[in-house]
Amino acid sequence: MSVFSRLRNGIPPARDNCQSPYERLSQRMLDISGDRGVLKDVIREGTGDPVTPDASVLVKYSGYLEHMDKPFDSNCFRKTPRLMKLGEDITLWGMELGLLSMRRGELARFLFKPTYAYGTLGCPPLIPPNATVLFEIELIDFLDSAESDKFCALSAEQQEQFPLQKVLKVAATEREFGNYLFRQNRFCDAKVRYKRALLLLHRRLAICEEQHLVEPAELLVLLNLSFVYLKLNRPAMALRYGEQALLIDQRNAKALFRCGQACLLLTEYEQARDFLVRAQKEQPCNHDINNELKKLSSHYRDYVDREREMCHRMFAPCGSGSSVGGN
């Protein structure tokens, strides 16, 4: 179905045959700019709070010109959309205003008048002068980075003045940023975010009455760090953070699995088996754990074969021509 078929769906009949599809669509849209320069039609409601002014947003979007079925701009073909910061990465004023009206998971359609889009000149050759454009935008998620950045810039003494819930919120935001960067395969950048979160939480662990509230958040960050160090091919560090996670929860299957993976990479086969068997005991049907045990078995057989071959060469009888006396 073409974009104009979708636009006409549910739109009341035009009073004037000269009305364009965008003019007919605008009749049932909400004015969010106050001058009808940015109009909105919600296709699917979102949840939670609306986007904050300094947030970084994860969106899918497609932009259409009137009387054209194919978008002139879209990021929907990307497997993972890029995180964009409001006020920096988004160039259309109308899109920024539209995003500030949205909630997580929301899908909406917007009309941007030229003032809120590409202006009187347009953007030749793609966008003609004085063009009204339509954007369909899905807000996948957003992160309030401004609050986190400001808090992390404070000294340790200043941070201690804030309540625990504030610290937990900032640490969660840092971890979410790390998760996004991890999904983008930016493992070094993800590690930096995870470590920032861990540092914030470690400072609060000194307060005994808060420890039971801090440890669950710390456990998640330690698991993230163990995983990211595996991706960075640094198994010793992955093992270190995995073992720290086990100090909080000694039966955590994910921590046991990460430690097993790290030991396998370090060729510590007995230790790897111990961790993986414990992980399997916690989650017997976990395919990743079971496959890692099979991988360990294969690696161990190869290791034993190499050791046997080495011993055979070391202790095999030497020929007379290669003996010391013969030389």
Side-chain angles (χ1 to χ4, degrees), residues 229-240:
Y229 273 112
L230 285 173
K231 291 293 186 179
L232 291 169
N233 198 28
R234 296 179 62 183
M237 292 297 293
L239 178 60
R240 173 185 167 186

Side-chain angles (χ1 to χ4, degrees), residues 180-305:
Y180 171 77
L181 294 166
F182 187 97
R183 291 191 294 270
Q184 295 281 321
N185 294 326
R186 294 166 58 184
F187 301 124
C188 286
D189 293 332
K191 177 194 69 176
V192 171
R193 289 290 186 172
Y194 292 145
K195 285 197 167 184
R196 281 176 66 171
L198 188 63
L199 179 60
L200 293 173
L201 296 170
H202 273 177
R203 288 172 178 168
R204 300 303 289 242
L205 282 172
I207 306 174
C208 294
E209 58 268 24
E210 294 181 348
Q211 190 167 349
H212 71 285
L213 297 172
V214 175
E215 283 187 342
E218 183 192 15
L219 176 62
L220 294 175
V221 178
L222 289 170
L223 291 172
N224 289 137
L225 277 166
S226 183
F227 197 14
V228 81
Y229 273 112
L230 285 173
K231 291 293 186 179
L232 291 169
N233 198 28
R234 296 179 62 183
M237 292 297 293
L239 178 60
R240 173 185 167 186
Y241 285 110
E243 289 178 328
Q244 287 183 34
L246 289 173
L247 293 176
I248 298 173
D249 180 4
Q250 63 181 354
R251 296 179 58 183
N252 187 281
K254 193 170 287 187
L256 291 166
F257 178 54
R258 299 285 179 242
C259 289
Q261 287 179 298
C263 288
L264 179 54
L265 290 172
L266 292 166
T267 66
E268 299 287 348
Y269 298 122
E270 293 295 332
Q271 198 174 359
R273 182 181 180 279
D274 176 63
F275 281 123
L276 292 172
V277 167
R278 287 167 61 191
Q280 188 186 50
K281 184 178 179 181
E282 298 300 325
Q283 294 185 6
C285 298
N286 187 300
H287 294 295
D288 292 332
I289 295 172
N290 293 331
N291 288 337
E292 198 71 10
L293 277 166
K294 292 177 183 177
K295 182 178 175 182
L296 169 63
S297 178
S298 175
H299 279 63
Y300 187 70
R301 282 197 301 270
D302 292 343
Y303 167 75
V304 170
D305 290 343

Side-chain angles (χ1 to χ4, degrees), residues 29-266:
M29 299 182 81
L30 176 67
D31 178 13
I32 63 171
S33 60
D35 60 358
R36 299 197 62 80
V38 179
L39 302 176
K40 178 181 180 181
D41 179 29
V42 176
I43 302 171
R44 184 183 67 229
E45 295 284 350
T47 58
D49 297 325
V51 174
T52 51
D54 294 311
S56 294
V57 296
L58 192 63
V59 298
K60 288 185 177 181
Y61 65 85
S62 294
Y64 297 89
L65 291 169
E66 199 162 21
H67 306 299
M68 292 184 67
D69 286 341
K70 292 184 178 180
F72 65 84
D73 186 19
S74 178
N75 73 342
C76 292
F77 61 88
R78 294 181 183 173
K79 185 176 181 180
T80 305
R82 183 172 64 92
L83 199 65
M84 299 186 294
K85 187 170 178 61
L86 296 182
E88 294 181 11
D89 300 320
I90 297 172
T91 55
L92 292 186
W93 186 17
M95 183 180 285
E96 185 141 340
L97 287 178
L99 285 166
L100 289 170
S101 73
M102 298 183 73
R103 303 171 190 272
R104 285 184 178 89
E106 183 177 328
L107 174 63
R109 183 182 293 127
F110 296 89
L111 279 178
F112 303 145
K113 294 292 178 64
T115 306
Y116 292 88
Y118 298 95
T120 56
L121 298 178
C123 187
L126 202 58
I127 312 296
N130 288 310
T132 295
V133 295
L134 179 144
F135 270 80
E136 287 186 355
I137 302 175
E138 179 183 9
L139 178 63
I140 300 169
D141 201 359
F142 71 90
L143 301 170
D144 187 359
S145 55
E147 182 183 21
S148 175
D149 292 340
K150 289 176 184 176
F151 186 85
C152 291
L154 300 175
S155 66
E157 293 75 17
Q158 290 172 317
Q159 291 177 3
E160 289 173 1
Q161 304 304 313
F162 286 86
L164 175 61
Q165 291 305 316
K166 172 76 171 182
V167 178
L168 292 176
K169 181 181 178 182
V170 172
T173 299
E174 288 296 313
R175 179 174 172 268
E176 287 171 9
F177 260 104
N179 290 344
Y180 171 77
L181 294 166
F182 187 97
R183 291 191 294 270
Q184 295 281 321
N185 294 326
R186 294 166 58 184
F187 301 124
C188 286
D189 293 332
K191 177 194 69 176
V192 171
R193 289 290 186 172
Y194 292 145
K195 285 197 167 184
R196 281 176 66 171
L198 188 63
L199 179 60
L200 293 173
L201 296 170
H202 273 177
R203 288 172 178 168
R204 300 303 289 242
L205 282 172
I207 306 174
C208 294
E209 58 268 24
E210 294 181 348
Q211 190 167 349
H212 71 285
L213 297 172
V214 175
E215 283 187 342
E218 183 192 15
L219 176 62
L220 294 175
V221 178
L222 289 170
L223 291 172
N224 289 137
L225 277 166
S226 183
F227 197 14
V228 81
Y229 273 112
L230 285 173
K231 291 293 186 179
L232 291 169
N233 198 28
R234 296 179 62 183
M237 292 297 293
L239 178 60
R240 173 185 167 186
Y241 285 110
E243 289 178 328
Q244 287 183 34
L246 289 173
L247 293 176
I248 298 173
D249 180 4
Q250 63 181 354
R251 296 179 58 183
N252 187 281
K254 193 170 287 187
L256 291 166
F257 178 54
R258 299 285 179 242
C259 289
Q261 287 179 298
C263 288
L264 179 54
L265 290 172
L266 292 166

